[in-house]
Amino acid sequence: MEGAVGHTALSEPSGQGKPTCQYIDLLAERRQSSDLRWAIREWKSVGDYKYGNHLTRKEIFDHVLQSDRVQHTISQLVEGGKDQEVLINEVEEILEQMGHTQDISVIRQFAFVLPKIMKRIYGKVMINEEGIEKLRSTLVETPVVLLPTHRSYADFLLVSYIAYHFNLPLPVIAAGMDFMSMAVIGDKLRGSGAFYIRRSFMDNTLYWAVFQEYVLTIVECTGAPLEFFLEGTRSRSGKSLPPKIGLLGCVSECWLRGRLPDLAIVPISISYERTLEEKLYAYELLGVPKPKESTSGLLKATSILKENYGDIYITVGDAVSVREFLEPLVDRHLSVATPSHLAPLSRPELSACESLGYHMLRKIQQGVVTSVWSVMCIHLQRVLSTGQWSLPFDTLVQETAWLIDLLKRIGAVISVEGGVKESVERCLEIHREVARLGEDGRVHIQRLYNHSLATTNGTKMSLKGTSLINAVTEQVLQHYINKVIHLLIRPALLSLALISLHTTTLEKLKSRFEFLRSLFGYDFIFEKNAEGRDFMEGLSVMMWCGEASLVQDHVHLVQGGGRFMKTLLNVLSPFVLAYFCTARTLASQEWVDNGELVAASQLAVENCLTPGSGRYSALSLDSIRHALRALTRMGAATRITGEDGKVRLKPVVQSVSSIVEVLGHLIRSQPLKHKL
Amino acid sequence: MAASSARDRLTVIRRHLAPHPRDSDLQGHGGQAEGAAGGGGGVQNKGIQWQTASDTTPPPHPHTTIPRKRQDLLKWNGWGYQDSKFLVHKEKDKDYYVSFTGSRYKIGNLVLPHFASWVKETLGVKFDDCTPPQPPPQPQDYPASIINQEFLDEMKRLGIEMSIEGEDRLFRAHGHTLAEVFVLREGMFPRIPDVVVWPGNHSEVVKVVAAAGKHNVALIPFGGGTSVSGALLCPEEESRPIVSLDTSQMCRILWVDEKNLTARIEAGIIGQDLEKQLQARGYTAGHEPDSYEFSSLGGWVATRASGMKKNVYGNIEDLVLQVRAVTPRGTIDRYTAGPRLSAGPDTQNFIMGSEGTMGVVTEVTLKVRPVPSVRRYGSVVFPDFSSGLACMRQVAFHRCQPASIRLMDNQQFKFGHALKPPTGLMGLLSDGIKKIYLTRIRGFDLNTMCVATLLFEGSEQDVAQQERRINTLALEVGGIPAGEANGERGYMLTFVIAYIRDLGFDYGIVAESFETSVPWDRVATLCHNVKHRVHSQCQERGIKHRFVTCRVTQTYDAGACVYFYFAFNYRGLSDPVHVYEEIETNARNEILGCGGSISHHHGVGKVRRQWMSQTISETSLGALRAVKQYFDPDNIFASGNLI
């Protein structure tokens, strides 16, 4: 590090007139001063909610126990024959297990350790300072919910660390129960403000009531910022996951039931240049189960301390007002005459919360800083699809520079330091495990498959060894492509629609686009009720780059599709293949077991692949599951409960075969080498 | 009056003199009595002691405080009496100071030494920057009158007084919302009534309404003109002539029935006249809305008004036994004066709250009470609003409300102090001691504390007992009794605060109030959320100086009435009225979202019509429309209020 303060200005898309964002490096100062002094410095938060009250753990517990909702639930259960004492004990146990403490000394321990680790494995940790100051002024005015992306375990403490760094009020973090059992770490996380929730408890009314009141108490009474992951879990694929509405609905209730005047939701986009878990994710997506969270597992992972994980970019986005977003969508007056604990969210209210969730994910995506590596991966994947494992360095630089330029113009914020060439070199250094520059001046893509990792985790992989050799590398590449795919998806789906229809009317194109948008709606995040906007966005990008033209209500493909369109179709092709195979598998018979169906679909994908054809990332179980959800939602299959009480998935012949036909047509209209 | 012969009148008088008036005779009672009162024959009545009380029949031309030419006594472009207003003074080399003129109010002819600095600090007022209102309009400035000559001829033939003078028409073209007063000061209404008529009694109203139907002219009833819902505004799209039906000449107390403690009263009487006349006989109606100096009985009925002392006397719907109203279809009447009725849905409720859309109220039988022997103010201070609210809840829970109990928030508490007159040395001393006691010894924070004002009425014994009860409840939540003077000033402010707005206009401040009713469990969040919403809306619009305050003004078993004041400095904004309306719309949305109602007593009028569908279901609204269709198929009462 040469400069004391690492200010970097990232140019935002040109022509939109937005000011450039200033990012500063959190580690710059830490590299020059004592971590201990940093950890024991005088610390006081600035920016606490002006109407917040400090509540102790005990006071929060009492507040929850005494709440109308919990008391009502207890009395309902007592009527059902349960013992009141037992129930109250149960509430206390739930609270004991759930409850967070916020102990500045624990925070200080992290403040001491984290910079040490970060300095070792990361280059810079960049954050937009302006976003922090906006957040601070929002925090004073209204309770805040922080929604960071979830791509890595590292997300967990990052936001708290940022709060410590900038003297912001420390967040209270909703964490999954699996962390709690981790020795030492589980308690430390609790001490730094994490509270633990079970993974599924919808059928446990008492737990649900306690959980809701716990969250409401934090938001309404203490006014401490609440942090949770909208996507529910770490996204293995690198894409945004569909939002989980449970917690979001719960906090929205504060406004929906008139308990708070407003609630601010702040998107936080954390962009890792290299994900700590990149290989684990690849195996997991291919079918190797995730290892249980444990401290020893974490210690084993200390090998990561020897590696270079590049930079992290963190964008704290503008707050979204829950009131402003939800007010046009809901009728609060319909529920106000019922005591609020007896008025669960109505269907339109839940639907509005879901819209809010999708809206927030879009906001989060807009804050993502794209790394040059993601752009490079698009080309590396294309190279693999031609059966090659290497390409000239200069070609890679040219292709990357071309696409970076395009991406910037359609709204990407890309962290290019120096020239593109230097950035590409730097990325190859960081990701040398995946692709490295040989002495022959060519970039060699590496085969990542590690036999021992695939088998030591116990369960057998269903995939063949030959598939895995290609698949792991491609899955890792796909992970990084996915980090930029939200920028490409609208023009990509438009291209897919256009290539299958050639010249067509605007209306037909739009309806095909909407069909695809709906079909791929779980893999890619679209805002609800924004079909028209998404279509126009996709069309205008393709028209702007000269690969589609609109003449008198007819859209034409210019010269059979240009370089950009080919790139886009290439990016989509693994998804199209996965969806096609899944739909065809679903159509083939009645399925008793969802797991079997997923496995059979994966096998069908595998049978379509030949070495040297690429598209191995179509084996991703993630996409197959998403495809099934979408197909079911679109009426390609119905769920029926059999006499044995088991739920079966029964294909609806007509609609599933029409979907199979469209997907098959899409595959045939692309220059792909598949055994169909 | 043509109907009542001398013999009829004598029968009526005999009945009044009889020891046991029969209920069954009440049919048509009012109309005949009115004949006796207003008949102009008068000779038979003279000197007859027809009631046990010492007074005589109502005079044929009763004295009204407010003359027919209202502009002679009242401001034409602002609130209240011409002689009562806030004035800003500057002496050489000294700061600005404010005083209140006239001797009608306790604050009158006094310098208010703290007020100027409060205004400067809170609202950023610059006293050098004064925008006086426009001068009164010239005759040519008024919108041209759409004349229906046949209607005018018929009025003349019937001997009903009328006017087409601009001043008279303008005065009845508006109520007192911010937007209306702003137009008076800086512009002109696109539409004002074309004619003003003054029917003198029920039967003249019947004739006016019939003539309106016959000649297809629109009617808008006018009582005291204190509406704050846009109810008096003429719909711009109305192409027919609009006639303002001014009820102010129907202002007699027709009779007082001391056996049953009821009185038959013409609906045009204004509150202060009603009270003066009843109190002269030893009675009170006890209905005191904040506008009661000017608002009329008919207006109260037509808007479902609420009085400050409703805890003792009830709101208007509790006070009214019989309502007589004229609709184009005919007269609405209830013949019995029995204290309660089980006879289907109460058709009088079609009129109560109908806001001039169904017809016009002409006579009302009200309950009256003997004037209480003791009337005493009181006050309690609380460390913060939530403890004050807890006390209000307890008082309502135990149903031990005094005649009035109001809780003001911290902002309003400070505002009240800013309006304190100068105090002598002793006053200063005792004020200082009080302050030290509260802040140093009791640990009150001047920036959170708030005050509840109390009004007790009853016998000495009752009042003393009530005081003890309230004080006990207040102490339980950390309140401290704070004496009579604070309480009295609180209630006086209620009447004076309306005058402040006119002063504010001169210096770039717009101000308005709005109110709601809300269940107990939501009072605190509603107050907080609405104030927050108003502040954040101001912030969004770049309004730096603003004053948002609320008070809980009424308590009920199931909830309370909350009253908000909102003022802001509009220097630098191009359209303050529009900005205000946008913010109030936001505030009302917040109120409804927090469980509050569309209105507790101001009514709906035109400015709150958009929230009716969030108040009652489509079917209920349909029923209202159907009733309107029945009473008034040709939409003669075309004010366009409510639905």
Side-chain angles (χ1 to χ4, degrees):
Chain A
M1 288 299 299
E2 61 284 84
V5 195
H7 277 285
T8 305
L10 291 181
S11 65
E12 293 229 357
S14 54
Q16 296 193 8
K18 278 198 233 165
T20 51
C21 277
Q22 287 289 339
Y23 285 77
I24 59 158
D25 183 8
L26 291 188
L27 296 182
E29 257 178 84
R30 297 291 74 71
R31 289 186 195 278
Q32 297 184 333
S33 62
S34 147
D35 291 328
L36 185 62
R37 198 175 303 151
W38 169 245
I40 60 169
R41 78 193 162 104
E42 198 181 319
W43 192 91
K44 193 175 179 308
S45 60
V46 179
D48 292 83
Y49 179 45
K50 60 181 173 187
Y51 300 114
N53 306 300
H54 180 77
L55 297 185
T56 63
R57 184 177 156 97
K58 175 81 171 58
E59 283 166 335
I60 292 175
F61 288 6
D62 287 346
H63 196 270
V64 172
L65 182 59
Q66 296 310 321
S67 68
D68 289 340
R69 193 192 310 265
V70 171
Q71 288 297 321
H72 174 79
T73 308
I74 290 175
S75 65
Q76 291 285 98
L77 291 169
V78 167
E79 270 174 41
K82 296 211 173 157
D83 183 69
Q84 180 154 11
E85 283 295 302
V86 174
L87 289 167
I88 290 173
N89 280 339
E90 198 180 327
V91 171
E92 278 163 358
E93 276 166 28
I94 294 171
L95 284 169
E96 247 349 288
Q97 189 188 47
M98 184 183 289
H100 73 282
T101 46
Q102 207 153 39
D103 184 350
I104 186 68
S105 71
V106 177
I107 300 281
R108 288 183 191 284
Q109 291 168 25
F110 280 116
F112 178 68
V113 176
L114 285 178
K116 283 207 180 307
I117 298 174
M118 291 197 291
K119 280 186 287 186
R120 190 185 275 261
I121 65 174
Y122 294 117
K124 284 173 289 192
V125 176
M126 306 294 280
I127 187 162
N128 62 330
E129 204 179 9
E130 189 200 0
I132 291 289
E133 289 316 314
K134 278 192 196 164
L135 170 60
R136 196 191 306 278
S137 48
T138 307
L139 278 162
V140 176
E141 291 299 320
T142 174
V144 166
V145 173
L146 303 171
L147 294 186
T149 43
H150 203 11
R151 299 286 172 271
S152 167
Y153 281 140
D155 299 327
F156 243 97
L157 286 166
L158 206 47
V159 176
S160 300
Y161 180 76
I162 292 165
Y164 180 79
H165 184 101
F166 289 102
N167 286 50
L168 287 169
L170 297 166
V172 174
I173 313 157
M177 208 58 117
D178 24 13
F179 287 101
M180 196 183 78
S181 43
M182 290 171 79
V184 189
I185 300 289
D187 284 338
K188 291 286 176 196
L189 282 177
R190 194 194 288 278
S192 70
F195 68 98
Y196 292 106
I197 43 183
R198 295 180 193 162
R199 281 281 171 201
S200 59
F201 49 81
M202 288 303 281
D203 47 351
N204 184 339
T205 51
L206 190 60
Y207 191 89
W208 181 232
V210 172
F211 160 74
Q212 278 179 299
E213 280 303 323
Y214 193 84
V215 171
L216 293 179
T217 304
I218 290 165
V219 177
E220 288 174 15
C221 302
T222 72
L226 177 74
E227 174 190 344
F228 65 88
F229 299 108
L230 184 55
E231 296 160 287
T233 180
R234 290 173 300 156
S235 165
R236 273 66 166 169
S237 69
K239 283 186 275 108
S240 301
L241 294 173
K244 293 272 191 297
I245 302 310
L247 253 166
L248 189 65
C250 191
V251 293
S252 300
E253 200 181 305
C254 297
W255 179 81
L256 285 167
R257 295 290 169 265
R259 295 161 69 143
L260 280 179
D262 199 358
L263 194 62
I265 308 198
V266 175
I268 300 178
S269 319
I270 306 171
S271 319
Y272 296 98
E273 201 166 15
R274 182 176 166 200
T275 312
L276 294 175
E277 299 97 329
E278 55 181 13
K279 268 177 289 170
L280 279 176
Y281 286 165
Y283 283 103
E284 221 181 291
L285 287 170
L286 292 169
V288 180
K290 149 187 170 188
K292 198 172 178 296
E293 276 80 8
S294 70
T295 307
S296 65
L298 193 74
L299 291 175
K300 268 188 218 152
T302 46
S303 61
I304 60 171
L305 288 180
K306 299 187 191 82
E307 302 226 9
N308 176 1
Y309 286 87
D311 298 339
I312 304 176
Y313 277 87
I314 301 153
T315 311
V316 178
D318 286 343
V320 170
S321 150
V322 167
R323 173 176 67 69
E324 272 174 37
F325 187 88
L326 291 182
E327 194 163 48
L329 303 179
V330 296
D331 290 313
R332 285 201 294 171
H333 67 272
L334 294 177
S335 62
V336 285
T338 313
S340 65
H341 65 283
L342 299 179
L345 297 190
S346 67
R347 205 172 273 275
E349 284 169 335
L350 282 170
S351 162
C353 290
E354 202 183 359
S355 297
L356 176 62
Y358 279 98
H359 181 70
M360 289 316 301
L361 278 179
R362 182 103 172 98
K363 290 278 166 204
I364 289 174
Q365 288 178 344
Q366 284 167 352
V368 164
V369 175
T370 303
S371 75
V372 172
W373 173 246
S374 284
V375 184
M376 289 160 65
C377 285
I378 292 175
H379 291 292
L380 296 178
Q381 196 189 45
R382 201 164 66 169
V383 169
L384 287 180
S385 77
T386 61
Q388 307 286 313
W389 283 79
S390 71
L391 79 164
F393 174 74
D394 293 339
T395 313
L396 182 59
V397 172
Q398 277 166 23
E399 293 277 321
T400 306
W402 165 73
L403 196 52
I404 284 177
D405 187 46
L406 252 168
L407 282 168
K408 275 189 175 172
R409 293 209 235 167
I410 61 175
V413 180
I414 303 184
S415 56
V416 185
E417 278 180 64
V420 174
K421 182 160 173 280
E422 291 76 19
S423 296
V424 171
E425 274 171 354
R426 190 177 153 273
C427 288
L428 288 171
E429 193 50 44
I430 293 166
H431 297 274
R432 57 203 320 272
E433 244 190 310
V434 182
R436 64 184 68 161
L437 181 57
E439 287 182 1
D440 52 358
R442 294 179 71 85
V443 175
H444 296 271
I445 305 166
Q446 306 295 305
R447 288 181 169 79
L448 286 171
Y449 175 56
N450 176 336
H451 184 73
S452 67
L453 192 64
T455 48
T456 48
N457 273 306
T459 40
K460 201 172 96 11
M461 287 285 291
S462 56
L463 293 174
K464 291 194 277 285
T466 45
S467 303
L468 281 172
I469 287 170
N470 295 297
V472 177
T473 303
E474 285 217 30
Q475 207 61 253
V476 172
L477 294 180
Q478 187 71 48
H479 176 85
Y480 292 101
I481 294 172
N482 283 343
K483 288 178 174 225
V484 68
I485 209 160
H486 62 274
L487 289 162
L488 300 171
I489 191 61
R490 289 163 189 82
L493 288 184
L494 189 108
S495 301
L496 196 57
L498 189 57
I499 201 118
S500 64
L501 297 168
H502 282 283
T503 298
T504 181
T505 61
L506 202 57
E507 203 171 311
K508 276 193 189 139
L509 183 65
K510 185 161 183 244
S511 102
R512 175 58 60 91
F513 176 87
E514 282 172 9
F515 165 78
L516 293 171
R517 183 182 179 275
S518 166
L519 182 65
F520 291 111
Y522 291 108
D523 255 308
F524 309 106
I525 301 303
F526 300 103
E527 277 199 66
K528 288 191 357 181
N529 306 317
E531 291 86 355
R533 200 178 69 196
D534 287 341
F535 173 70
M536 286 317 294
E537 197 183 316
L539 182 60
S540 58
V541 169
M542 293 320 290
M543 280 167 55
W544 162 79
C545 63
E547 303 196 4
S549 67
L550 178 63
V551 182
Q552 286 181 340
D553 215 30
H554 277 71
V555 185
H556 300 267
L557 194 59
V558 176
Q559 290 170 348
R563 189 181 178 192
F564 186 43
M565 193 174 282
K566 289 206 175 82
T567 307
L568 291 174
L569 292 174
N570 205 64
V571 165
L572 271 187
S573 62
F575 295 97
V576 177
L577 182 63
Y579 276 61
F580 172 72
C581 293
T582 307
R584 214 164 52 164
T585 311
L586 174 67
S588 64
Q589 65 175 87
E590 192 175 301
W591 293 91
V592 180
D593 183 82
N594 208 51
E596 254 174 49
L597 174 53
V598 171
S601 301
Q602 197 188 31
L603 187 67
V605 175
E606 193 180 17
N607 288 334
C608 286
L609 298 168
T610 50
S613 72
R615 277 88 184 162
Y616 277 88
S617 53
L619 291 166
S620 160
L621 295 176
D622 208 34
S623 288
I624 290 169
R625 290 195 192 99
H626 285 151
L628 276 179
R629 265 179 89 182
L631 289 166
T632 316
R633 194 199 57 215
M634 292 170 82
T638 48
R639 262 173 223 286
I640 43 171
T641 312
E643 281 169 17
D644 51 358
K646 279 188 185 163
V647 180
R648 287 157 207 274
L649 210 54
K650 190 178 177 214
V652 177
V653 179
Q654 205 181 357
S655 64
V656 75
S657 55
S658 78
I659 292 174
V660 169
E661 196 186 320
V662 174
L663 285 167
H665 182 64
L666 290 176
I667 289 177
R668 278 188 297 277
S669 57
Q670 296 179 58
L672 297 176
K673 287 170 268 167
H674 292 306
K675 303 177 291 181
L676 292 184
Chain B
M1 254 151 290
S4 51
S5 66
R7 227 174 87 192
D8 285 333
R9 279 178 231 151
L10 245 124
T11 334
V12 173
I13 292 157
R14 281 209 199 95
R15 197 162 54 216
H16 278 302
L17 290 167
H20 301 291
R22 287 161 297 156
D23 279 354
S24 58
D25 279 353
L26 281 171
Q27 177 178 341
H29 189 164
Q32 289 161 5
E34 159 208 311
V43 190
Q44 297 99 320
N45 298 354
K46 232 170 210 163
I48 295 180
Q49 298 286 313
W50 57 282
Q51 285 184 342
T52 42
S54 60
D55 52 337
T56 58
T57 47
H61 297 292
H63 172 75
T64 57
T65 303
I66 298 170
R68 238 185 64 183
K69 277 221 164 295
R70 304 173 72 85
Q71 54 273 29
D72 291 347
L73 181 72
L74 305 180
K75 292 192 192 79
W76 73 276
N77 65 351
W79 182 260
Y81 301 104
Q82 283 176 6
D83 58 12
S84 303
K85 60 186 168 220
F86 285 92
L87 278 182
V88 176
H89 310 266
K90 180 161 168 77
E91 282 169 29
K92 225 178 156 197
D93 301 330
K94 278 190 181 166
D95 269 348
Y96 287 96
Y97 67 92
V98 178
S99 70
F100 192 80
T101 63
S103 50
R104 293 175 191 272
Y105 302 95
K106 242 195 148 172
I107 197 177
N109 293 324
L110 281 177
V111 169
L112 309 167
H114 317 291
F115 190 54
S117 62
W118 180 88
V119 171
K120 267 189 265 181
E121 204 172 294
T122 314
L123 287 164
V125 163
K126 293 188 182 69
F127 283 111
D128 314 315
D129 185 6
C130 178
T131 329
Q134 64 184 4
Q138 296 301 304
Q140 69 273 13
D141 297 339
Y142 297 104
S145 202
I146 305 173
I147 300 285
N148 180 318
Q149 198 54 49
E150 288 96 32
F151 178 80
L152 295 188
D153 291 344
E154 185 154 354
M155 290 300 106
K156 236 173 257 166
R157 197 161 58 246
L158 293 168
I160 292 170
E161 299 186 79
M162 62 181 173
S163 162
I164 52 169
E165 265 178 54
E167 275 187 7
D168 292 329
R169 291 162 54 213
L170 179 61
F171 209 101
R172 286 152 187 87
H174 65 87
H176 281 272
T177 66
L178 168 65
E180 289 163 308
V181 178
F182 202 80
V183 168
L184 287 173
R185 291 175 61 96
E186 303 207 348
M188 176 52 79
F189 297 101
R191 192 78 209 272
I192 64 174
D194 300 297
V195 186
V196 182
V197 298
W198 285 271
N201 54 43
H202 170 78
S203 62
E204 285 191 2
V205 171
V206 171
K207 288 168 196 160
V208 170
V209 173
K214 193 163 124 198
H215 303 293
N216 197 27
V217 302
L219 290 176
I220 297 183
F222 180 90
T226 56
S227 138
V228 282
S229 61
L232 287 167
L233 288 172
C234 296
E236 274 178 61
E237 66 282 1
E238 180 59 65
S239 56
R240 299 171 291 181
I242 298 176
V243 175
S244 175
L245 194 163
D246 186 324
T247 58
S248 63
Q249 303 310 301
M250 305 193 289
C251 55
R252 290 158 299 183
I253 295 177
L254 300 175
W255 46 255
V256 176
D257 180 343
E258 291 173 289
K259 296 273 185 328
N260 296 305
L261 290 182
T262 58
R264 184 76 170 182
I265 304 154
E266 287 186 314
I269 194 165
I270 58 169
Q272 58 171 319
D273 288 350
L274 173 67
E275 278 305 317
K276 257 181 246 159
Q277 292 175 36
L278 282 177
Q279 283 178 22
R281 304 178 193 204
Y283 296 100
T284 175
H287 188 68
E288 284 183 30
D290 292 353
S291 62
Y292 101 113
E293 299 163 278
F294 310 107
S295 55
S296 70
L297 172 57
W300 300 340
V301 171
T303 56
R304 299 185 71 91
S306 169
M308 179 174 92
K309 300 189 290 191
K310 75 95 193 155
N311 295 332
V312 173
Y313 301 96
N315 286 319
I316 195 73
E317 68 272 18
D318 310 310
L319 282 163
V320 161
L321 272 180
Q322 291 170 299
V323 171
R324 178 178 245 198
V326 179
T327 76
R329 175 77 61 180
T331 296
I332 292 190
D333 244 330
R334 177 197 280 184
Y335 302 133
T336 169
R340 186 173 183 277
L341 200 56
S342 174
D346 186 349
T347 49
Q348 292 190 156
N349 271 331
F350 291 142
I351 292 304
M352 283 207 235
S354 65
E355 305 190 358
T357 57
M358 309 277 184
V360 53
V361 184
T362 54
E363 289 174 15
V364 175
T365 309
L366 273 188
K367 299 190 229 171
V368 296
R369 298 287 305 164
V371 174
S373 54
V374 176
R375 177 184 171 103
R376 194 147 71 219
Y377 293 100
S379 67
V380 184
V381 287
F382 297 97
D384 53 35
F385 191 66
S386 60
S387 53
L389 207 51
C391 178
M392 298 287 274
R393 179 71 192 96
Q394 281 309 303
V395 167
F397 182 89
H398 295 286
R399 290 190 170 169
C400 59
Q401 290 101 330
S404 168
I405 174 165
R406 286 177 172 177
L407 177 71
M408 302 182 191
D409 69 1
N410 178 258
Q411 288 85 351
Q412 211 162 126
F413 167 74
K414 287 181 182 165
F415 172 62
H417 273 258
L419 284 170
K420 263 191 177 175
T423 33
L425 188 60
M426 277 316 286
L428 216 62
L429 218 61
S430 71
D431 273 3
I433 291 167
K434 262 190 245 164
K435 194 167 156 183
I436 288 169
Y437 174 71
L438 285 175
T439 56
R440 297 276 171 76
I441 299 176
R442 297 297 302 258
F444 279 34
D445 180 349
L446 283 177
N447 290 313
T448 61
M449 65 187 277
C450 66
V451 62
T453 58
L454 307 161
L455 172 62
F456 301 92
E457 277 193 9
S459 66
E460 180 58 50
Q461 199 188 350
D462 286 345
V463 167
Q465 197 185 351
Q466 286 175 34
E467 281 176 324
R468 270 199 303 281
R469 197 103 200 254
I470 298 288
N471 289 345
T472 315
L473 288 174
L475 284 171
E476 278 172 18
V477 295
I480 302 166
E484 266 192 272
N486 278 318
E488 188 172 7
R489 193 171 53 249
Y491 288 99
M492 184 261 311
L493 280 183
T494 299
F495 293 99
V496 178
I497 203 162
Y499 287 93
I500 292 183
R501 187 167 76 184
D502 293 323
L503 173 75
F505 271 126
D506 290 344
Y507 296 96
I509 308 295
V510 286
E512 182 71 295
S513 61
F514 49 92
E515 43 75 38
T516 189
S517 59
V518 56
W520 275 117
D521 66 330
R522 295 175 194 256
V523 174
T525 49
L526 183 133
C527 293
H528 176 80
N529 291 6
V530 171
K531 284 198 267 183
H532 182 278
R533 178 98 173 232
V534 171
H535 278 299
S536 72
Q537 290 296 317
C538 286
Q539 199 116 30
E540 265 176 41
R541 291 167 172 78
I543 298 168
K544 258 210 305 218
H545 296 287
R546 65 231 177 201
F547 176 59
V548 191
T549 170
C550 71
R551 62 169 188 245
V552 177
T553 60
Q554 287 294 3
T555 58
Y556 295 88
D557 287 349
C561 166
V562 183
Y563 201 97
F564 293 90
Y565 286 113
F566 167 39
F568 65 86
N569 186 325
Y570 71 83
R571 292 286 189 241
L573 295 174
S574 60
D575 190 350
V577 171
H578 183 67
V579 169
Y580 171 78
E581 282 170 351
E582 277 181 0
I583 297 174
E584 196 194 318
T585 299
N586 266 282
R588 183 62 61 183
N589 283 335
E590 191 63 44
I591 286 172
L592 263 64
C594 293
S597 66
I598 187 170
S599 173
H600 170 265
H601 59 274
H602 281 175
V604 173
K606 298 179 186 68
V607 302
R608 278 176 283 277
R609 236 177 355 192
Q610 58 173 305
W611 289 283
M612 276 303 274
S613 64
Q614 294 177 41
T615 301
I616 56 176
S617 71
E618 190 46 46
T619 308
S620 317
L621 279 171
L624 277 185
R625 287 191 205 103
V627 170
K628 159 84 180 169
Q629 178 64 26
Y630 175 77
F631 285 143
D632 186 14
D634 299 322
N635 194 28
I636 296 302
F637 286 90
S639 59
N641 296 331
L642 203 61
I643 43 175

